[in-house]
Amino acid sequence: MGGILVIGSYNCDTVLKLARFPAPGETLTALGMAAFHGGKGSNQAVAAARAGGRVALIAAIGDDAAGQGALALWTEEGVDAAAVQIAPTATGAATILLDAAGENQIIIIPGANAELALPAGFTPPADIAVALAQLETPQAATAALFRALPESRRILNVAPAAPIMPELLAATDMLVLNETEAAILAQREAEPTALALVLAAETMREVIVTAGAAGAFWARPDGVVIDAAPPRVKVADSTGAGDAFLGAFAAFSAAGFAPEKTLRLAVVAGALACTQEGAVPSLPHRAAIMAPGGQ
């Protein structure tokens, strides 16, 4: 089994639970508030570790209580944080609005995440099968890391949706994004399968589009598509679903699983993450993902 190297963000998440989302200019009273570990990079690293991966993380945090909490989390979860950087600014943060149906709206304060950079002469760990990144940290740092790992499967989670730097796309093997992000990137509305095919043809990269209860669709530039449907679950909070999918996908891909099985298990992980509140608490472990009932 090869290793997984994640480059990405850490945020301290504040979740406000609401009966519904406010209209513009409207003031609502929250039903509750809670704090959780977050940030797509950290979440995906933890998700990959829980799914059985051997994971190292490159991130930037502040020299503050939130940053110390992040280090404690990664130690507890078995994520190698030796390359994590301490930035001269506050640790990143996010405010998440969560409605009664489990849908969310998220506002991010980048903080230290915006300072992440690959140091000169950086040497990645040996035996990295999968490199995984998102767009909550500077694209130049991700491009530099991907270029240093030409033999790895380099997966870019296009979240939040944004134009991709040409040098980053050139060093990327696979794009993963949800159907909303895919529609923004493709500049059109279409079914998830069509969006995956369009983006694969336009970028000449493999593309996975996730679509919640409809599952996930994996398209290749040659027009071949495989898909997987999730198990039915009772949705409590969808916040960590995409990160659970990416982490599990990275773990099972690094373990050498066939594409169809890798996609199916990742979809199961994403569905299981919807059954609990909070991003990190909801990320499933390998045993739950592999259980016959989940698959």
Side-chain angles (χ1 to χ4, degrees):
M1 176 188 292
I4 300 162
L5 183 58
V6 180
I7 181 170
S9 57
Y10 173 84
N11 291 322
C12 182
D13 289 352
T14 299
V15 179
L16 300 177
K17 195 169 183 180
L18 307 170
R20 58 177 176 80
F21 296 129
E26 182 182 15
T27 299
L28 293 180
T29 299
L31 304 177
M33 182 178 75
F36 298 101
H37 296 290
K40 291 183 180 297
S42 177
N43 289 350
Q44 291 172 21
V46 171
R50 289 187 183 179
R54 175 166 50 84
V55 185
L57 175 66
I58 301 174
I61 54 176
D63 185 13
D64 51 24
Q68 291 301 312
L71 291 172
L73 167 71
W74 300 325
T75 297
E76 180 181 351
E77 297 290 344
V79 173
D80 180 354
V84 168
Q85 303 163 17
I86 305 300
T89 187
T91 298
T95 297
I96 300 169
L97 305 183
L98 177 66
D99 75 2
E103 296 298 323
N104 63 64
Q105 295 179 350
I106 304 174
I107 301 168
I108 294 172
I109 304 168
N113 296 311
E115 306 296 323
L116 181 62
L118 227 59
F122 171 79
T123 302
D127 190 28
I128 297 299
V130 174
L132 176 59
Q134 321 75 34
L135 296 183
E136 289 184 344
T137 49
Q139 293 192 32
T142 301
L145 175 68
F146 279 9
R147 286 194 299 269
L149 293 165
E151 303 303 317
S152 304
R153 175 180 286 236
R154 298 162 297 183
I155 302 173
L156 180 64
N157 177 206
V158 190
I164 305 169
M165 291 172 52
E167 52 265 49
L168 175 54
L169 182 60
T172 297
D173 301 306
M174 171 180 281
L175 304 176
V176 180
L177 56 177
N178 65 32
E179 56 186 329
T180 300
E181 294 155 350
I184 293 171
L185 199 65
Q187 298 184 322
R188 71 193 74 184
E189 295 289 338
E191 293 298 315
T193 306
L195 288 171
L197 285 167
V198 165
L199 290 173
E202 289 181 351
T203 64
M204 295 304 295
R205 299 292 182 270
E206 293 182 82
V207 175
I208 295 178
V209 174
T210 59
F217 304 84
W218 181 349
R220 298 193 325 220
D222 62 6
V224 173
V225 178
I226 61 175
D227 60 79
R232 289 190 175 186
V233 296
K234 184 176 180 180
V235 176
D237 178 4
S238 62
T239 302
D243 296 332
F245 176 95
L246 263 298
F249 186 91
F252 293 115
S253 180
F257 283 37
E260 293 82 359
K261 187 169 186 179
T262 298
L263 187 65
R264 185 175 74 251
L265 292 171
V267 165
V268 170
L272 292 175
C274 294
T275 62
Q276 288 184 250
E277 293 184 7
V280 171
S282 72
L283 299 173
H285 289 80
R286 186 183 182 93
I289 299 169
M290 301 288 290
Q295 300 180 57

